[in-house]
Amino acid sequence: MRYLFILLLFCLTTCCQGQSAQTLKLPGLQQRVEIIRDRWGVNHIYAKNEHDLFFAQGYSAAQDRLFQMEIWRRQATGTVAELLGQQETKRDIGTRLFRFRGNIDQELKHYHPHGPQIIRAFVEGINTYINQILKTPEKLPFEFGVLKTRPGLWTPEVVISRHQGLLENVRDELNFGRLVKLIGPDKLRELQWFHPSVQSAEPDLTLHVNGDELFQPILELYEAFRLPLKFQGRESKIDENEACHSRDAIDKWFATEKQYVGSNNWIISGKRSASGYPMLANDPHRAQSTPSLRYWVHLNAPGWNVIGAGEPTLPGISIGHNDYGTWGLTIFETDNEDLYVYETNPANPNQYRYKGQWVTMKTLTERIPMKNGQTVSATLKYTRHGPVVFEDLNHHKAYAVRAGWLETGCAPYLASLRMNQARNWAEFRQACLFSRIPGENMIWAERNGTIGWQVVGLAPIRKNFTGLVPVPGDGRFEWSGYLPIQQLPNKLNPPEGYVVTANNNLTPADFPYRNAIGWEWASPSRAHRIEEVLNDGKRKNLVDFMALQADYLSIPARTLVPLLQYLASPNDRTEQALSLLRKWDYQLKPESVAAAIYVAWEGQLKQAVYEQKVPQVAQPYLKTLPSKRVIDALLTPTPERDSLLLTCLDRAVAELTERLGSDTDDWAYGQRKNKHITLTHPLSDLVDKTMQQKINLGPVLRGGYAETVNATSNDLNQTHGASFRILVDTENWDKTLGINTPGQSGNPDSPHYGDLFPIWAENNYFPVYFSKEKIRNVAETTTTLQP
């Protein structure tokens, strides 16, 4: 049915829309370039040489996402305070403190043999569009007028910024250190699910630094440059109450990102597909926003023919396919950050003790421009391990972050450029060796039948510590290089005929370099459900893959609801809820009343178990318990357990009654008062209601939650999930399906600003054509760029 919807969508758009053509003369091009924009806003770029291909990619991306790219540029260059005011000073200091300061040509060559030329051509294309539109500033997207600013020009240093990378795990490390001091290592291991482990005393959480001194704003500068921008801030001094709320908001943002950022991907061999060819599915789970994080594009030039999506700020394609194979990614937990604590010289705080000697920190001075036209001077300090983020003058201590991602070649996703030209598994795996940030499960499927999985990422080898708590920076706790990527987990043509990754642990407990990779992983529920469906004995086609990406079955519900089977409640409304749950199919569908009851009940159970298990003193530093710990606590049958199940169901019924009313017929899970999504533009508070209606999208009803394959977060207004999806059957590249909500453009005046939002809301797709004949049939505009 949903595949028929896609065919109908194709027919309607083909029959009902005309095509337009234009020619533009652009300085900097070497030869003619043709750009066909299809009905869904995807640019198919045909160039005669590599320079022009990436020039046109940069030009097109700037045309569609200029304000998004300007914010990236300011975050990358540490010039946000110049736009938004002095409250952003710490962000800019943090950005400059953690800026890549290595050799730029070596850096660019890491991502591709022609990396310097590709990235500079991409930047040249962006700047050509910016210079062009600045001649008619009234045509700039509305955000520039609201903020009274103009876009600035790019450099290659902007492209290779790490500020939005998925980085691990220095905040956890500091909090674990605090928790070890407060409740001890055994209690922390009991509460947190560190795995895989061989012994109960793993991982080692021994604290070799003064735990009492960890309860300071040690990572304030690090956090400042990692946080998303807020456009309604004031420049006046905030009071203590607001500061407290700000701390809570910061903690919540990082906790939410940790909990919900993830992905699903899977590949199957031809023996499991209806077509007899390998198939791939991928849906990264990131923050839902307008515009979308990702951006579809098709790149065609001699040596290049690749389609898919990346971020508009980067050249190339991070997820997609070429003429030979298709690839996708999910996050794999590598730990590429450590927090070092130093004793400093009482006579000179710029010196720290290392191997018995006083070593002088390297210092730099930066001038940071402010919105009022003034500048602020900032002194940046570095130890041998990395940027100094905090100095405790009272105790003569300094704290620095060793960030592996400050090494050459760690711009997130940029090494995908090498993958874009891979012609087989050997070449793809070779390309993977250059992919350092973030840690990822890379999967590959090619038309000749090969499927494979290779973990990538920067994985420091720690021979005598786990990297889970802060350590002294005196020379006793050092990295012993990085684990070669080819030694990270991998598979080629597994006998089971599939690979499934969903941020869950896929590493054996006896992995020889255990402390080079993470100890915390996503709940395996999504992965288990995908494997369950793939193993149902039926050969799969694209319709099956669509259904699986949209799957709403909750494995935790299938575990917990049977615990209610023989319980009864004296409360009539709770008894009614019990009856609905017992007849339920565990699907969190928007129309389901039982789904609404279950999700509210699970939330109450999690909170109750958390309050029982987590000592109050630890709660500021351990905000939630892993699902496994909650479920394990509920599986032992005792009268107290049964009482808790019913008490929490009472609370869930009361919660729903307050929010949705007393009539259970009005308790459908998906509704604007319950599970839904509203996309609010970041500048929404700064414009009038007419503009708000134009730039904000929704609400639309949603199903699922954080642990369904169709991951929609645990918030009633969905904050995270799959905004981009791709499905590929390698039998025929023109059968590829995709989506990118809310649309390809970030400009609300464009028809492609929100046109994909209703399609996505129904868990549907558009056809992603690869052959030029098919593309011409769905062309909306054809633009010729002339030198």
Side-chain angles (χ1 to χ4, degrees):
M1 191 69 190
R2 294 167 60 228
Y3 200 75
L4 288 175
F5 170 87
I6 294 164
L7 292 175
L8 179 62
L9 182 68
F10 161 69
C11 293
L12 287 173
T13 54
T14 303
C15 299
C16 301
Q17 297 185 32
Q19 299 180 19
S20 64
Q22 62 175 334
T23 299
L24 299 174
K25 191 172 180 64
L26 297 183
L29 280 177
Q30 298 172 359
Q31 294 175 279
R32 177 179 172 274
V33 175
E34 181 184 37
I35 302 177
I36 303 173
R37 186 189 293 272
D38 69 25
R39 306 297 192 208
W40 302 281
V42 178
N43 285 314
H44 302 259
I45 302 172
Y46 296 88
K48 299 181 186 301
N49 62 74
E50 188 175 82
H51 169 275
D52 290 354
L53 180 67
F54 290 101
F55 179 103
Q57 186 185 8
Y59 182 89
S60 301
Q63 197 172 39
D64 281 336
R65 301 287 187 92
L66 187 58
F67 181 69
Q68 184 181 23
M69 296 177 77
E70 169 63 6
I71 293 305
W72 172 285
R73 185 192 69 82
R74 285 197 174 271
Q75 288 181 277
T77 55
T79 55
V80 176
E82 185 180 34
L83 175 68
L84 298 182
Q86 65 185 22
Q87 74 272 16
E88 296 290 352
T89 304
K90 287 178 181 175
R91 177 195 299 278
D92 288 347
I93 294 172
T95 297
R96 292 161 188 254
L97 188 62
F98 283 91
R99 177 182 289 165
F100 173 75
R101 296 182 182 274
N103 182 288
I104 189 65
D105 280 322
Q106 288 180 8
E107 166 80 0
L108 300 183
K109 284 178 183 175
H110 177 92
Y111 305 111
H112 191 276
H114 304 159
Q117 296 90 335
I118 289 171
I119 293 167
R120 289 189 171 110
F122 181 75
V123 166
E124 192 182 347
I126 294 170
N127 289 341
T128 296
Y129 181 76
I130 290 172
N131 286 325
Q132 183 184 77
I133 198 168
L134 285 177
K135 294 175 183 176
T136 54
E138 68 277 4
K139 294 181 180 179
L140 284 166
F142 83 96
E143 296 98 334
F144 291 96
V146 172
L147 296 177
K148 298 180 173 59
T149 190
R150 296 284 185 267
L153 297 179
W154 279 48
T155 65
E157 287 80 1
V158 175
V159 176
I160 57 95
S161 175
R162 282 82 156 135
H163 70 274
Q164 281 191 322
L166 299 177
L167 312 173
E168 296 286 345
N169 66 338
V170 72
R171 286 188 87 257
D172 292 336
E173 201 169 306
L174 178 57
N175 280 333
F176 291 156
R178 292 164 171 168
L179 288 163
V180 169
K181 173 62 182 175
L182 292 170
I183 61 176
D186 291 338
K187 185 66 174 177
L188 178 54
R189 280 188 288 262
E190 175 190 319
L191 295 172
Q192 190 57 260
W193 186 25
F194 297 115
H195 67 290
S197 60
V198 177
Q199 302 171 17
S200 60
E202 289 182 335
D204 180 13
L205 298 173
T206 304
L207 200 57
H208 297 279
V209 300
N210 188 328
D212 290 319
E213 296 170 3
L214 297 177
F215 297 87
Q216 302 180 79
I218 291 168
L219 292 176
E220 187 175 39
L221 291 175
Y222 174 92
E223 293 170 340
F225 95 93
R226 303 279 289 128
L227 287 165
L229 265 61
K230 299 290 185 185
F231 291 95
Q232 63 270 33
R234 299 195 306 274
E235 293 195 47
S236 58
K237 184 179 179 183
I238 58 177
D239 60 33
E240 287 187 13
N241 185 49
E242 285 179 298
C244 175
H245 287 305
S246 177
R247 178 73 257 164
D248 288 344
I250 289 169
D251 287 343
K252 182 178 180 182
W253 184 83
F254 279 103
T256 299
E257 286 289 290
K258 179 181 176 180
Q259 184 177 6
Y260 299 146
V261 167
S263 311
N264 304 317
N265 68 22
W266 62 90
I267 40 176
I268 62 173
S269 69
K271 71 180 183 182
R272 286 182 170 269
S273 72
S275 68
Y277 287 81
M279 295 176 65
L280 172 144
N282 196 185
D283 55 299
H285 308 154
R286 299 292 294 273
Q288 296 285 338
S289 62
T290 177
S292 172
L293 172 69
R294 291 201 164 81
Y295 180 72
W296 281 90
V297 69
H298 180 186
L299 305 173
N300 184 290
W304 299 85
N305 192 22
V306 55
I307 193 168
E311 297 181 23
T313 52
L314 304 175
I317 303 290
S318 59
I319 302 169
H321 74 79
N322 57 25
D323 287 306
Y324 306 95
T326 178
W327 64 92
L329 55 85
T330 67
I331 294 301
F332 179 94
E333 300 294 341
T334 57
D335 177 3
N336 46 54
E337 296 176 335
D338 278 334
L339 183 61
Y340 282 92
V341 185
Y342 307 87
E343 177 190 349
T344 55
N345 188 345
N348 180 359
N350 286 337
Q351 291 185 327
Y352 62 98
R353 188 179 296 280
Y354 183 78
K355 293 189 175 179
Q357 304 290 322
W358 290 120
V359 180
T360 301
M361 297 176 189
K362 178 183 176 182
T363 59
L364 300 172
T365 301
E366 296 259 340
R367 304 289 297 177
I368 301 173
M370 295 290 115
K371 187 176 182 180
N372 60 12
Q374 298 178 350
T375 60
V376 169
S377 179
T379 299
L380 312 180
K381 299 182 180 181
Y382 298 85
T383 71
R384 64 183 291 113
H385 297 115
V388 175
V389 289
F390 187 75
E391 294 178 88
D392 180 354
L393 299 179
N394 292 332
H395 297 102
H396 306 296
K397 297 287 174 62
Y399 297 78
V401 174
R402 179 156 193 191
W405 44 269
L406 288 177
E407 303 261 0
T408 296
C410 292
Y413 304 112
L414 203 45
S416 300
L417 283 166
R418 292 178 180 266
M419 300 175 194
N420 292 178
Q421 293 182 295
R423 295 169 296 180
N424 51 53
W425 167 249
E427 290 185 5
F428 181 76
R429 195 167 180 229
Q430 181 65 27
C432 284
L433 303 185
F434 294 85
S435 186
R436 308 187 84 186
I437 294 292
E440 291 171 334
N441 295 287
M442 299 302 307
I443 57 172
W444 166 265
E446 63 189 87
R447 294 191 71 179
N448 74 359
T450 298
I451 63 171
W453 163 60
Q454 174 67 58
V455 170
V456 303
L458 201 67
I461 298 171
R462 300 173 179 88
K463 291 186 176 179
N464 62 327
F465 67 115
T466 59
L468 288 172
V469 293
V471 292
D474 57 12
R476 290 178 291 153
F477 299 90
E478 296 292 340
W479 295 358
S480 301
Y482 298 103
L483 188 63
I485 285 176
Q486 59 265 39
Q487 292 184 33
L488 287 166
N490 58 85
K491 290 181 181 178
L492 175 62
N493 294 323
E496 58 270 24
Y498 66 85
V499 176
V500 173
T501 84
N503 319 119
N504 53 308
N505 173 55
L506 295 166
T507 309
D510 61 354
F511 185 70
Y513 299 97
R514 183 64 193 85
N515 290 324
I517 60 173
W519 285 91
E520 296 178 277
W521 306 87
S523 162
S525 294
R526 287 182 285 119
H528 289 172
R529 175 58 178 166
I530 296 166
E531 290 172 349
E532 184 177 283
V533 172
L534 294 183
N535 279 306
D536 66 7
K538 178 190 171 190
R539 282 180 173 261
K540 297 294 181 282
N541 57 33
L542 287 168
V543 175
D544 300 314
F545 272 29
M546 283 191 283
L548 186 48
Q549 281 192 332
D551 190 86
Y552 283 142
L553 185 130
S554 165
I555 285 184
R558 204 167 61 187
T559 304
L560 293 175
V561 170
L563 302 180
L564 298 170
Q565 188 65 35
Y566 302 107
L567 302 185
S569 171
N571 183 314
D572 288 345
R573 294 181 64 74
T574 302
E575 189 62 35
Q576 183 185 13
L578 279 167
S579 176
L580 287 167
L581 287 174
R582 288 179 185 130
K583 294 182 288 187
W584 181 45
D585 60 2
Y586 314 119
Q587 298 272 354
L588 299 182
K589 294 179 179 177
E591 65 273 18
S592 170
V593 171
I597 295 169
Y598 171 76
V599 170
W601 179 57
E602 186 190 280
Q604 294 290 348
L605 286 171
K606 285 181 173 179
Q607 185 61 31
V609 173
Y610 173 85
E611 290 172 0
Q612 279 184 0
K613 298 287 185 182
V614 182
Q616 196 159 2
V617 68
Q619 291 182 9
Y621 310 104
L622 185 65
K623 300 288 189 181
T624 61
L625 283 177
S627 295
K628 176 179 171 57
R629 294 295 187 234
V630 175
I631 291 172
D632 285 352
L634 295 169
L635 289 182
T636 304
T638 65
E640 292 78 13
R641 189 278 309 267
D642 291 348
S643 175
L644 181 67
L645 296 176
L646 288 174
T647 298
C648 287
L649 190 54
D650 287 337
R651 293 172 183 166
V653 169
E655 174 193 330
L656 292 173
T657 301
E658 182 178 355
R659 187 163 65 245
L660 305 178
S662 57
D663 188 346
T664 54
D665 289 344
D666 296 332
W667 287 8
Y669 182 51
Q671 56 176 295
R672 64 187 307 161
K673 292 182 181 179
N674 208 60
K675 190 69 175 186
H676 68 285
I677 187 167
T678 299
L679 291 178
T680 303
H681 190 285
L683 266 61
S684 180
D685 289 347
L686 305 181
V687 298
D688 60 27
K689 286 190 176 180
T690 301
M691 180 58 86
Q692 286 177 348
Q693 291 173 353
K694 187 175 183 178
I695 64 177
N696 299 334
L697 298 160
V700 296
L701 313 185
R702 301 299 287 147
Y705 71 157
E707 294 197 42
T708 47
V709 175
N710 190 353
T712 59
S713 80
N714 287 338
D715 301 286
L716 293 180
N717 182 12
Q718 179 184 344
T719 58
H720 290 69
S723 57
F724 161 85
R725 290 185 172 120
I726 186 170
L727 299 174
V728 183
D729 186 336
T730 62
E731 178 192 30
N732 182 350
W733 302 123
D734 282 329
K735 290 168 63 176
T736 300
L737 302 174
I739 194 64
N740 187 33
T741 186
Q744 281 285 98
S745 175
N747 187 345
D749 290 330
S750 166
H752 298 297
Y753 177 74
D755 58 327
L756 301 180
F757 184 61
I759 300 172
W760 170 86
E762 296 294 329
N763 297 319
N764 270 314
Y765 304 76
F766 63 84
V768 182
Y769 292 126
F770 194 54
S771 65
K772 197 164 188 180
E773 177 188 1
K774 291 274 191 182
I775 293 162
R776 286 199 187 284
N777 287 338
V778 292
E780 180 180 86
T781 61
T782 299
T783 301
T784 301
L785 306 181
Q786 296 279 15

